[in-house]
Amino acid sequence: LMQNEQLREEYLNGDEKSRYRLLHELLRMEPVVSNLMRRTQEPVNVEVAGKSITIPANALVNIDVYAANADPQAVGEAPTQVCPTRELAPRVQEPAMSFGDGHHRCVGAYIAIQESDIFLRHLLQVEGLKIVEMPEITRNEVIKSYEMRNFYVTIDES
């Protein structure tokens, strides 16, 4: 939002629903956790490329969140472009798999978006706010996520 003035203005001028939609869309594009590992409790039948496949009970399933969040069957056309008003497939939530799904869906998802909204609305309204140094982005292989460090911003008072 600090790098795209149009998105920043859209966010700052939007009502709560549109701001949350944009935050969910950005999270869909850049999920913090990239892989979810789950064990099946019972056999699961899925259809893949026209073939029926059964995943046996107690199988470890690695869900690639980036790929799931960019699946055009789930999130519609142009899945790698930001579009907060996109049409989603039935039962697909706005952040797609970024907060998980089903029994393992993050119970604090709403609070995380609300906290982000409160913080960003205040931060992005500061006149003269600019990025001094882009963050270092590293991978945390233990939890399959990214970490940001050394992200510096300043306020240009001129």
Side-chain angles (χ1 to χ4, degrees):
L1 295 173
M2 289 182 67
Q3 293 177 300
N4 185 319
E5 191 60 35
Q6 180 183 344
L7 280 181
R8 180 181 180 161
E9 289 302 316
E10 184 179 320
Y11 178 76
L12 289 174
N13 294 320
D15 62 7
E16 182 179 272
K17 184 177 181 177
S18 64
R19 290 192 317 269
Y20 282 24
R21 273 184 121 162
L22 180 55
L23 292 175
H24 282 130
E25 178 70 353
L26 294 174
L27 184 60
R28 181 191 69 78
M29 299 283 298
E30 289 292 334
V32 178
V33 175
S34 61
N35 294 77
L36 298 172
M37 304 294 278
R38 299 290 182 257
R39 282 211 182 271
T40 57
Q41 300 297 303
E42 55 192 49
V44 176
N45 296 314
V46 294
E47 183 133 342
V48 178
K51 292 182 179 181
S52 183
I53 297 172
T54 300
I55 302 170
N58 203 35
L60 184 62
V61 178
N62 180 356
I63 301 166
D64 181 338
V65 177
Y66 279 104
N69 286 0
D71 180 351
Q73 289 185 315
V75 300
E77 294 180 22
T80 60
Q81 295 177 0
V82 175
C83 179
T85 59
R86 71 177 52 253
E87 283 287 319
L88 301 170
R91 298 186 354 227
V92 175
Q93 298 182 35
E94 289 176 344
M97 289 294 294
S98 295
F99 282 120
D101 195 34
H103 297 308
H104 293 281
R105 188 172 194 303
C106 175
V107 295
Y110 180 80
I111 294 169
I113 291 298
Q114 185 178 43
E115 287 177 336
S116 297
D117 181 49
I118 292 167
F119 172 73
L120 288 170
R121 274 188 297 135
H122 285 87
L123 178 69
L124 295 173
Q125 289 178 14
V126 173
E127 290 294 323
L129 180 70
K130 66 178 188 177
I131 298 171
V132 173
E133 188 174 326
M134 293 300 288
E136 297 169 26
I137 299 176
T138 58
R139 298 277 315 145
N140 181 326
E141 289 304 320
V142 174
I143 60 172
K144 303 294 185 197
S145 70
Y146 66 82
E147 297 174 340
M148 289 178 38
R149 298 190 189 286
N150 302 316
F151 180 45
Y152 295 104
V153 297
T154 190
I155 300 170
D156 184 2
E157 296 185 44
S158 54

